[in-house]
mmCIF file of all heavy atoms in Angstrom:
data_model
loop_
_atom_site.group_PDB
_atom_site.id
_atom_site.type_symbol
_atom_site.label_atom_id
_atom_site.label_comp_id
_atom_site.label_asym_id
_atom_site.label_seq_id
_atom_site.Cartn_x
_atom_site.Cartn_y
_atom_site.Cartn_z
ATOM 1 N N SER X 646 -21.705 12.843 -28.706
ATOM 2 C CA SER X 646 -21.385 13.633 -29.893
ATOM 3 C C SER X 646 -20.527 12.854 -30.886
ATOM 4 O O SER X 646 -20.637 13.043 -32.098
ATOM 5 C CB SER X 646 -20.650 14.918 -29.479
ATOM 6 O OG SER X 646 -19.445 14.619 -28.807
ATOM 7 N N TYR X 649 -23.246 9.455 -31.867
ATOM 8 C CA TYR X 649 -24.656 9.596 -32.226
ATOM 9 C C TYR X 649 -24.842 9.767 -33.740
ATOM 10 O O TYR X 649 -25.577 9.001 -34.388
ATOM 11 C CB TYR X 649 -25.261 10.783 -31.467
ATOM 12 C CG TYR X 649 -26.758 10.961 -31.669
ATOM 13 C CD1 TYR X 649 -27.660 10.270 -30.877
ATOM 14 C CD2 TYR X 649 -27.255 11.823 -32.636
ATOM 15 C CE1 TYR X 649 -29.028 10.434 -31.049
ATOM 16 C CE2 TYR X 649 -28.616 11.986 -32.825
ATOM 17 C CZ TYR X 649 -29.492 11.286 -32.022
ATOM 18 O OH TYR X 649 -30.854 11.446 -32.204
ATOM 19 N N LEU X 682 -23.199 3.059 -2.249
ATOM 20 C CA LEU X 682 -22.412 1.863 -1.954
ATOM 21 C C LEU X 682 -21.200 2.192 -1.093
ATOM 22 O O LEU X 682 -20.817 1.409 -0.220
ATOM 23 C CB LEU X 682 -21.973 1.199 -3.254
ATOM 24 C CG LEU X 682 -23.080 0.596 -4.125
ATOM 25 C CD1 LEU X 682 -22.487 0.010 -5.393
ATOM 26 C CD2 LEU X 682 -23.850 -0.473 -3.367
ATOM 27 N N CYS X 881 22.387 6.359 -20.480
ATOM 28 C CA CYS X 881 22.512 4.917 -20.638
ATOM 29 C C CYS X 881 21.158 4.263 -20.475
ATOM 30 O O CYS X 881 20.299 4.754 -19.764
ATOM 31 C CB CYS X 881 23.503 4.359 -19.616
ATOM 32 S SG CYS X 881 23.035 4.689 -17.907
ATOM 33 N N LYS X 883 18.372 1.980 -19.186
ATOM 34 C CA LYS X 883 18.061 1.407 -17.883
ATOM 35 C C LYS X 883 16.783 0.595 -17.995
ATOM 36 O O LYS X 883 15.750 1.127 -18.372
ATOM 37 C CB LYS X 883 17.863 2.510 -16.836
ATOM 38 C CG LYS X 883 17.547 1.953 -15.449
ATOM 39 C CD LYS X 883 17.242 3.046 -14.469
ATOM 40 C CE LYS X 883 18.437 3.875 -14.150
ATOM 41 N NZ LYS X 883 18.183 4.858 -13.097
#
Side-chain angles (χ1 to χ4, degrees):
S646 60
Y649 185 86
L682 293 179
C881 59
K883 181 185 292 186

